[in-house]
Amino acid sequence: MGANAVRWGVIGATTIAKEWMIGAIREAGGEVVSVMSSDAARGKAYAKENGIGKSTTSLSRLLGSDIDAVYIATTNDKHKAQTLAAAKAGKHVLCEKPLALKLADAHTMVAACKAAGVVMGTNHHLRNAGTHRAMREAIASGKIGKPLFARVFHAVFLPPHLQGWRIKDAKSGSGVIMDITVHDADTLRFVLGDEPVSVTAMTQEGGMGAKGIEDGVMGTVRFRSGALAQFHDAFTTRYATTGFEVHGSDGSLIATNCMTQRPVGEVVLRNASGEHQLEIDHGNLYVRSVGAFQAAIAGKGQPAATGEDGIRSMALALAALKSAKTGRDVAVETGL
Ligand code: NDP
C-alpha cells in the first residue's frame, strides 16, 4: 500500500466484506484500518480473521479515527443513519445496495454527502463486470441496432449461510426485490444506457421466505426508448443458470453466467454475419468498484455507480414491489 493509500473503515462485520470487499480494498491499494460491529466479541474475532488492526462497537469512535472513507455493508435498514453520520464526520461513503428502505431516505443520504463535500457511491458490482461492459459498448457502438428487448435471468439459490435477515426480517429490508431486482435495475440502465419508465411485476412466496416476504419475482419494465425488459429473480432455484440478453433490430447479445459476483461469463453476438464471442476483459468486479471510488476521492471521475444510481435502482425495485401488491403497472419515479 502506498503512502497516499485511502484509509477505510468497514461498517458491518459482514459476509460481503469478508468474501469480497476487504480483499478488493487491499487489491485496489487501500488500507482497511478498522471494522465496526454491534457485537464486541464478533467484531474482535472478525478483525483478527481478516487481518484488520482494530475493531469497535462505536460508530462515533470509528468515524473519529484516522480514516478517509467508510464502506457500509450492514443490513439495509442501517445504511441511512450510518451514511449521515459518516458524511457529518467528513468521510467518503461507499454504501451497499439498496441504499435504504425508502426513496426519501436515499435522497437524504445523497444530499447529505453532497452538502458535506464527500464522495458517495453505491456498490452495484454488476456494472463492473467485463460481460456487461462489453455489452454496453457493443450497444452504444450500434452493433445490434436499436435495442428492442432485454431479458435478465437472475434466479439463484440463496446459500444456507445467507438464509438470515434476507428471507426472515422485513425490518431489515428483506425480499428478493430489494436484494436482487435492484441489481437488475442498475445493470439494465447501465447496459442499455436507458431509463425505466414503468414496471409490472408478480412475486412468489416459494417456501424459503417467511410469510409475506417474496423469494421470487418476474416482471417487465418499459424503458424511455420503448425497449421492454423482462426480469426473473429468485432465491429458490438451485439449478437455474444466469444470463442477460439484449435483442435489437440488427442483432442480439446473449450473455451467460454473468449475473454473479465472480469475474466470469461469456457474451455472444448474433447478427446477419453469424455468431461470434465478444472479447471480455474479465477483472474483479469489486476491485473495479473500489478503484473508481478511490479515484473519485482523488478528484478523478466518479464512482462506478453514484449515489444517484443507487436512487434510480431503488426506485425501480420499489415500483416493482408496489406493482406486485396492486396488480398494476407502476411508474418508476426517482424524484431526481
Ligand atoms: P450479513 O448477513 O453477513 O451481515 C449483516 C449484519 O448481520 C452485519 O452487519 C452483522 O452485524 C450481522 N451479522 C453477521 N454475521 C453474524 C453472525 N454470525 N451472528 C450475528 N449477526 C451477524 O450481510 P451481507 O454481507 O449478506 O449483506 C450486507 C449488505 O451488503 C446488505 O446491504 C446487502 O444488500 C449488501 N450486499 C451486496 C452485495 C453486492 O454484491 N453488492 C452482495 C451481498 C450483499 P454487525 O455488523 O453489527 O456485526
Side-chain angles (χ1 to χ4, degrees), residues 6 8-9 11 63 68-73 79-96 99 109-110 112-114 116-123 293 296-297 303 305-307:
V6 175
W8 289 81
I11 301 182
L63 294 173
D68 307 301
V70 293
Y71 165 58
I72 299 177
H79 296 172
K80 178 193 173 189
Q82 290 165 342
T83 296
L84 297 189
K88 200 167 167 202
K91 310 299 179 189
H92 305 286
V93 177
L94 178 56
C95 185
E96 270 305 341
L99 288 183
M109 293 157 72
V110 171
C113 288
K114 200 173 235 174
V118 297
V119 174
M120 181 177 173
T122 309
N123 202 32
F293 189 84
I297 292 177
T306 60

Side-chain angles (χ1 to χ4, degrees), residues 1 9 12 29 73 78 86 104 109 113 144 147 158 204 227 233 276 303 305-306 309 313 322-323 331:
M1 121 204 31
K78 300 201 171 80
M109 293 157 72
C113 288
I144 62 165
L158 192 65
Q204 183 181 77
D233 306 327
H276 79 270
T306 60
D309 288 317
S313 62
K322 191 168 169 190
S323 171

